Amino acid sequence: MNFGIAVHGGAGTVAQAELTAHREQIYRDALADALRRGHGILSSGGTALDAVAAAVRSLEDCPLFNAGRGSVFNADGQHEMDAAVMEGHTLRAGAVAGVSNVKNPVDLARRVMDGSGHVLISGMGAFEFAHREKVLLEDDEYFFDQHRFEQWQEVAGTQVVKLDHSGGGRGKFGTVGAVALDQQGHLAAATSTGGMTNKRWQRIGDSPIIGAGTYANDSTCAVSCTGNGESFIRAVAAHDVSALMEYKGLALAEAVREVVHRKLPLLDGEGGLIAIDRNGHIVLDFNCEGMYRGHSGADGAVVTAIFR
Ligand code: ASP
């Protein structure tokens, strides 16, 4: 039976010249580790949902990426994280927005799906729910990272809101996400992010918005996006890929191309997405300099890349 998984660790202006071979390897190792975790679940007959959650959890625990532990600072010097999961055969979904001190927001999103009766919860309410569900919490120190702090200091006190990966390759990159097809033929997607550096007013990006940054539907595909969230929300990017397949009969690669290279640029949407269809075809595409990404199919070979 065919199965597969893909992950991303953010897309944007990744300046190739500034990323040393050594650092590039560190990122690629982290992506490969996430892929292996997900792949292990799929190869032993586990669900796509468990696989994407495990892959995203591993990237949330890695301080290199803008999710979980490595989340960027908001305008108040805090970390507010967003995450979502979606299951393709039931169209069930769960998401959290603007949560702090939750070690693995993707796990909380899963609990929202499984046990809250809601799809998207936010802020203090989500924190209360996290307590009730006894998910792992961490103090502020766990989320402190010197490089992220300096990134924030460059724009703190201004109106500038930055994609964590805009402005050079000297550090940390990316929102994280995963999509998978399991041996039962089911699809799932998950996305997790600290959002944008110096964000204010409890700004929420596309990642936890079902249909914008995250979507899965067994009749078409599973999608996880990364880039400037406002544009992805306006483009309803993840669902648009699915809709182009469902209503227009496009193949996955054509649908992704339409959204990433035609629709998003019209809305200043810089970034990319990863997607897998029900036959296990995987497409990883972006309209910017680079996207941290990787995939692994039934043969178990792990492929990672950053630039074109
Ligand atoms: N899409 C995320 C957001 O807007 C950011 C990113 O992908 O890096 O919150």
Side-chain angles (χ1 to χ4, degrees):
M1 182 66 199
N2 202 6
F3 65 93
I5 181 164
V7 298
H8 71 75
T13 316
V14 186
Q16 190 160 7
E18 290 176 40
L19 191 67
T20 64
H22 175 66
R23 286 204 70 78
E24 181 171 337
Q25 196 54 50
I26 293 174
Y27 284 104
R28 291 176 69 154
D29 289 348
L31 293 167
D33 195 39
L35 283 168
R36 285 195 196 96
R37 284 172 202 240
H39 192 276
I41 291 170
L42 296 172
S43 62
S44 57
T47 67
L49 188 63
D50 283 340
V52 294
V56 165
R57 200 179 304 122
S58 137
L59 295 167
E60 286 178 337
D61 290 342
C62 174
L64 294 169
F65 299 99
N66 174 20
R69 182 166 207 171
S71 291
V72 296
F73 286 84
N74 69 9
D76 301 321
Q78 308 288 318
H79 306 281
E80 285 174 338
M81 300 169 284
D82 306 333
V85 295
M86 185 160 184
E87 181 177 74
H89 65 294
T90 57
L91 300 183
R92 290 192 312 143
V96 292
V99 295
S100 300
N101 301 102
V102 173
K103 180 167 184 272
N104 293 110
V106 72
D107 288 342
L108 189 58
R110 176 89 184 258
R111 303 289 181 104
V112 171
M113 180 175 103
D114 288 336
S116 74
H118 301 296
V119 169
L120 172 60
I121 64 176
S122 70
M124 279 313 295
F127 191 62
E128 259 174 54
F129 180 70
H131 266 286
R132 196 192 84 172
E133 293 291 308
K134 299 190 172 46
V135 301
L136 287 177
L137 301 175
E138 292 287 352
D139 54 25
D140 291 345
E141 234 164 79
Y142 172 85
F143 297 92
F144 182 86
D145 176 89
Q146 188 60 31
H147 172 74
R148 291 273 185 241
F149 185 73
E150 285 164 17
Q151 259 181 346
W152 173 52
Q153 287 298 302
E154 284 167 21
V155 290
T158 72
Q159 314 281 310
V160 177
V161 181
K162 278 213 311 188
L163 262 189
D164 67 296
H165 28 58
S166 48
R170 67 186 183 84
K172 316 272 174 124
F173 295 86
T175 289
V176 307
V179 293
L181 168 73
D182 64 30
Q183 297 193 47
Q184 293 72 46
H186 297 318
L187 295 168
T191 312
S192 181
T193 186
M196 292 170 90
T197 300
N198 210 34
K199 62 186 179 178
R200 293 180 293 169
W201 305 315
Q202 299 185 329
R203 176 265 184 194
I204 294 165
D206 59 314
S207 311
I209 309 290
I210 298 303
T214 308
Y215 190 71
N217 184 333
D218 268 14
S219 60
T220 54
C221 61
V223 180
S224 172
C225 301
T226 175
N228 55 334
E230 281 68 11
S231 305
F232 282 72
I233 293 173
R234 290 163 60 216
V236 204
H239 183 262
D240 212 40
V241 174
S242 171
L244 284 165
M245 294 176 74
E246 185 171 0
Y247 304 131
K248 220 175 173 188
L250 297 193
L252 181 68
E254 293 172 311
V256 170
R257 196 177 313 121
E258 177 74 20
V259 172
V260 171
H261 297 286
R262 282 175 50 99
K263 295 202 164 178
L264 281 164
L266 291 175
L267 301 170
D268 296 322
E270 187 199 49
L273 61 85
I274 58 172
I276 186 168
D277 71 14
R278 58 185 176 163
N279 299 313
H281 296 125
I282 290 173
V283 177
L284 319 171
D285 203 359
F286 49 99
N287 59 27
C288 45
E289 205 170 333
M291 178 165 80
Y292 290 77
R293 62 197 189 277
H295 62 92
S296 184
D299 64 1
V302 168
V303 179
T304 61
I306 301 174
F307 305 102
R308 264 183 209 290

